[in-house]
Amino acid sequence: MPALTTATTHDPRAPWRARRLPPALLAAWGALWLLTAVAPADRALWLLESALPLSLVALLVGMYRAWHLSDASYLAIAAFLALHLAGAHWGYADVPLGRALQDALAALGARAGLAWGTRNPYDRVVHLAFGLCLVYPLRELLRHHVRGPRAAALLALAVVVALGGAYEVLEWGAARVLAPGAASSFVGAQGDPWDAQQDLALAGVGAGATLALVAAFGRRLREALAPRTAMRLAPGASFVERRCAPTR
C-alpha cells in the first residue's frame, strides 16, 4: 500500500496515474453529493450551497494531471466538503448533529447558569473546519511559490481569513439575487447580528490551530506516515531542493 503523502513528502508533478487515494476521495464525495441531492430540506438552498464546492472540485480535477496536492491535503479538503454537504442538505440551522450539540450545550449552560444552546451551532463547526482543513492545502500550495515555511504559513492564514470574509459577502449577495426567499437560511445567521464576525473568527482560530499542530508535530507525523519517503530538508527548502533531497 502506498504511503500517505504530506506537503513535504509529495511531488506535485509525480505520475498521477499511480495515485489511488485522490480518485477514491472524489468518488466518495461524488456519491455523498448525490445522496444530499435526494429530497433536501430546500432545493433552492441546496443549489446555492452546492455551487462553490462543485467549483472547487472542478478546479482540483482540472489541474490534477498537471499539478496535484498531497494525500493529506486532499483528505483535509474532502473532510470539509463533506461537512458542508450536510449543511446544504438539511440547512445549517437544522442539521441533526448540530441539534445534538445544541442540546448538549443547553444542558451544560443550565448547570453553569449560562445562556448556551440558543442556536444550532453546526455552522460554527463548519466555519471552524474551514480554517482547520483548508489552511494545510493552502500552505502546501504556497510553499512552492514563496521562500520559507513560515512565510507560507502566514500567507495561508491570511488567505483563509480573506476567503472567509469574501464568502460572507458573496453568500449574502448571491442569496439576495438568486433566491431572496432563501437568503436567511443560506446565510444561517439564526438571528445573530454578529454571525459573520464570529464565523470569520472561528475560521482564523481553526487555521491557527492547524498551523500550530503542523509546526509542533509535522515532522514526526510525516515520518510516521511515510518513513521511506520523508526527506531531510533545510527550513525553507524550495521545491527543486525537495526533488533533489535524499530519501531515507
Side-chain angles (χ1 to χ4, degrees), residues 102-141:
Q102 182 179 3
D103 293 340
L105 288 172
L108 289 174
R111 294 177 184 177
L114 299 172
W116 291 353
T118 58
R119 70 192 299 281
N120 189 320
Y122 188 78
D123 64 323
R124 304 279 195 245
V125 173
V126 174
H127 280 281
L128 179 67
F130 177 80
L132 281 170
C133 296
L134 296 192
V135 75
Y136 186 84
L138 284 169
R139 171 183 171 273
E140 178 181 345
L141 177 64

Side-chain angles (χ1 to χ4, degrees), residues 153-212:
L154 288 174
L155 279 175
L157 176 61
V159 170
V160 164
V161 174
L163 288 175
Y167 181 76
E168 293 293 336
V169 175
L170 179 63
E171 70 173 352
W172 178 255
R176 294 289 293 177
V177 172
L178 300 177
S184 296
S185 297
F186 182 58
V187 174
Q190 301 182 60
D192 184 357
W194 298 101
D195 176 72
Q197 290 82 356
Q198 293 183 61
D199 290 345
L200 194 56
L202 283 170
V205 168
T210 294
L211 293 174

Side-chain angles (χ1 to χ4, degrees), residues 14-78:
W16 60 272
R17 294 182 184 276
R19 306 190 66 189
R20 296 289 180 268
L21 183 61
L25 289 174
L26 178 62
W29 187 84
L32 184 61
W33 179 78
L34 290 175
L35 285 174
T36 63
V38 178
D42 187 312
R43 178 65 64 180
L45 177 63
W46 177 82
L47 289 172
L48 282 173
E49 296 281 12
S50 297
L52 285 178
L54 284 175
S55 300
L56 175 58
V57 171
L59 174 64
L60 293 173
V61 170
M63 64 186 288
Y64 184 72
R65 291 191 180 188
W67 202 97
H68 40 75
L69 295 168
S70 65
D71 293 336
S73 286
Y74 284 127
L75 276 170
I77 293 171

Side-chain angles (χ1 to χ4, degrees), residues 184-247:
S184 296
S185 297
F186 182 58
V187 174
Q190 301 182 60
D192 184 357
W194 298 101
D195 176 72
Q197 290 82 356
Q198 293 183 61
D199 290 345
L200 194 56
L202 283 170
V205 168
T210 294
L211 293 174
L213 288 172
V214 169
F217 305 107
R219 183 177 180 83
R220 294 180 184 178
L221 180 61
R222 65 177 175 263
E223 288 178 350
L225 293 174
R228 295 183 180 180
T229 57
M231 302 176 186
R232 292 190 178 94
L233 301 174
S238 68
F239 172 62
V240 174
E241 290 170 325
R242 281 204 295 278
R243 294 199 66 178
C244 298
T247 58

